[in-house]
Amino acid sequence: LSDYCGHTGQHEFASECIAKALHVCESAFHPQMRSRLLGGTARLRWSHECNRPFLRALFRQMQSSTRCGCHRTALEFGRLIFSLDPEADPFHLLLHLDFLALMAGSTRWLLAFPGALPAHSLPLYPQYAMSLAIAMRIESGGASSAAWADLGPGRKFDEQDVVPAGAMLAADVQLCRALLLFPGLLPMLVRKVAPGAQAALLAMKAWEDALGGAAHPLSEAEAGATLGTLLRLYVTRHAPLWKERPALWAWLVSTADALLGRLASCETETLALAADCAAVRQAEYFVGAHEHNEFADADPADFSLELPAQLPAEALAAAMADPDGPLPNQMREVRLPGRLVVPRAERMQLRSQTNPLLQFFLSLIPWAMPPPHDMARARVAPFQRGANHRPEWR
């Protein structure tokens, strides 16, 4: 019902249906399940199909909370979904958590999060390379915390209340590292955030002239399949964040201009940083994985804050198809019109291990099939007193 309402433009009612469904599931939780969910030790694997509707409902509730402005709630939903299946991460929550943490004001948690997952190398993602710089600037006092957190400035969560010395300089260094590591990110942001700003356009032109082909990410031959996808997803997700904060956008443009000046003056430290970033980018996104896209199944619509458009009637049936169902070339058999003929794939196979009373009621269903004869004999065999024993009727 929520899917249908979402495709027909009834987004408020669709969110309400998801919230009610999750409330019913939460009411049925075992006490140990509730404690493990809060502790982050519960696991619901995506590989088990029975878990997919619940995980999908949690993800849609996270999206609804983000669009409603409840960023702290959305962050907690994202952390919960990721903890349920961190190995598979079917919804690519790692690409959402940085944005949700910034919008919720949990900058200290964001700064500590990459250290909790060292095997993922999160600072080498465009999302975290840029978000870590923003979080450092907020923590240094370069941006007002009240503009980020709905709970107000000074509100502490579960992070350490420590602001490192020289955080402003560290934020500038991190932003320069992110720009050099992903040169194509700045032109994409300028075209999306401020296509008419003269200062931003001049900075983009100078940036493209200085860095050459690395600043043109539209070509997959130059950006790589995985890196190109990550850059596009970042721009789709974070463009509203840059649009709504002119001071932050001015900091990005001024840092890019200063970085270009140091590159033009052949500053030794800056040139060494640019060479290191180019080597890291080459090793991470080009060696052996240039054509392979690790995030090919990521839907760009999941990273947009805009509500999905209403679908026409002819496309509604295809959109309502079961996402976990068979492929179009594996469709089930067609039922004959006017007859209750159940296809073979839909018939119910009874098991001999079923409770006899339950098996009796299930046998009344027209499409229920009795258990195989060999299985029934195997169940009766242990109760026989001998191999050649024959029951005596009296």
Side-chain angles (χ1 to χ4, degrees):
L1 181 59
S2 175
D3 292 343
Y4 177 82
C5 294
H7 291 311
T8 55
Q10 307 177 55
H11 301 292
E12 294 184 1
F13 188 66
S15 301
E16 183 180 350
C17 292
I18 290 292
K20 290 180 178 179
L22 291 177
H23 174 71
V24 172
C25 293
E26 183 182 2
S27 302
F29 278 166
H30 191 275
Q32 292 186 0
M33 179 65 176
R34 191 184 305 272
S35 62
R36 291 185 178 183
L37 283 176
L38 295 177
T41 58
R43 294 293 182 267
L44 291 176
R45 304 297 182 187
W46 178 261
S47 56
H48 300 285
E49 294 187 4
C50 56
N51 296 332
R52 296 182 181 182
F54 180 70
L55 294 174
R56 194 177 290 111
L58 287 176
F59 181 71
R60 291 175 182 173
Q61 184 67 12
M62 183 198 76
Q63 290 179 308
S64 177
S65 301
T66 305
R67 289 164 178 162
C68 293
C70 304
H71 303 296
R72 178 64 183 182
T73 303
L75 175 61
E76 294 304 324
F77 270 112
R79 293 169 62 177
L80 172 61
I81 300 170
F82 179 73
S83 68
L84 291 177
D85 195 357
E87 290 81 9
D89 192 14
F91 299 103
H92 303 290
L93 264 301
L94 287 178
L95 305 182
H96 293 269
L97 290 177
D98 63 303
F99 173 80
L100 298 177
L102 287 177
M103 299 302 295
S106 299
T107 52
R108 297 171 193 171
W109 176 86
L110 177 59
L111 292 174
F113 182 59
L117 300 174
H120 290 73
S121 301
L122 293 181
L124 298 182
Y125 285 39
Q127 286 76 4
Y128 287 88
M130 298 292 291
S131 296
L132 289 177
I134 298 175
M136 291 177 182
R137 182 169 177 83
I138 295 174
E139 287 297 317
S140 66
S144 175
S145 300
W148 295 85
D150 296 333
L151 301 179
R155 177 68 178 270
K156 301 178 180 62
F157 303 122
D158 53 350
E159 307 87 356
Q160 298 178 356
D161 189 15
V162 177
V163 179
M168 181 72 73
L169 179 60
D172 294 339
V173 172
Q174 175 62 28
L175 182 59
C176 292
R177 185 183 297 112
L179 291 175
L180 292 175
L181 190 59
F182 308 105
L185 192 56
L186 181 62
M188 295 180 69
L189 280 175
V190 171
R191 295 187 181 96
K192 185 73 173 180
V193 177
Q198 188 66 23
L201 292 176
L202 292 177
M204 180 188 69
K205 185 67 170 59
W207 185 264
E208 292 178 343
D209 294 341
L211 298 179
H216 298 273
L218 299 182
S219 174
E220 296 235 345
E222 297 175 350
T226 299
L227 181 56
T229 300
L230 288 176
L231 293 177
R232 287 189 289 269
L233 293 180
Y234 175 83
V235 173
T236 302
R237 187 59 153 167
H238 289 256
L241 183 148
W242 293 99
K243 284 182 179 180
E244 297 171 1
R245 293 163 178 83
L248 198 66
W249 178 253
W251 172 59
L252 173 64
V253 175
S254 62
T255 303
D257 288 336
L259 182 59
L260 286 176
R262 293 197 296 269
L263 289 175
S265 61
C266 298
E267 184 177 328
T268 305
E269 185 178 353
T270 305
L271 292 177
L273 178 61
D276 292 342
C277 291
V280 171
R281 183 175 65 252
Q282 182 73 19
E284 183 71 16
Y285 293 103
F286 287 86
V287 176
H290 181 257
E291 299 180 357
H292 175 65
N293 190 354
E294 299 179 8
F295 302 95
D297 57 338
D299 188 1
D302 294 338
F303 294 81
S304 176
L305 295 179
E306 299 179 359
L307 292 172
Q310 181 176 349
L311 296 179
E314 57 272 11
L316 188 59
M320 288 298 296
D322 184 10
D324 301 325
L327 298 176
N329 57 352
Q330 300 175 352
M331 298 301 293
R332 295 178 176 178
E333 303 172 22
V334 181
R335 298 190 182 187
L336 299 178
R339 295 181 60 186
L340 184 59
V341 178
V342 180
R344 185 179 301 275
E346 299 182 16
R347 296 174 186 174
M348 180 187 301
Q349 178 72 58
L350 300 181
R351 298 183 301 172
S352 57
Q353 294 84 2
T354 309
N355 183 279
L357 184 59
L358 178 60
Q359 189 172 357
F360 168 76
F361 286 106
L362 291 177
S363 64
L364 301 178
I365 303 177
W367 52 84
M369 300 175 60
H373 184 63
D374 294 338
M375 293 179 59
R377 292 184 58 184
R379 186 184 182 190
V380 176
F383 298 96
Q384 295 179 352
R385 289 175 291 182
N388 299 324
H389 173 74
R390 294 183 180 180
E392 298 180 0
W393 297 94
R394 298 182 180 178

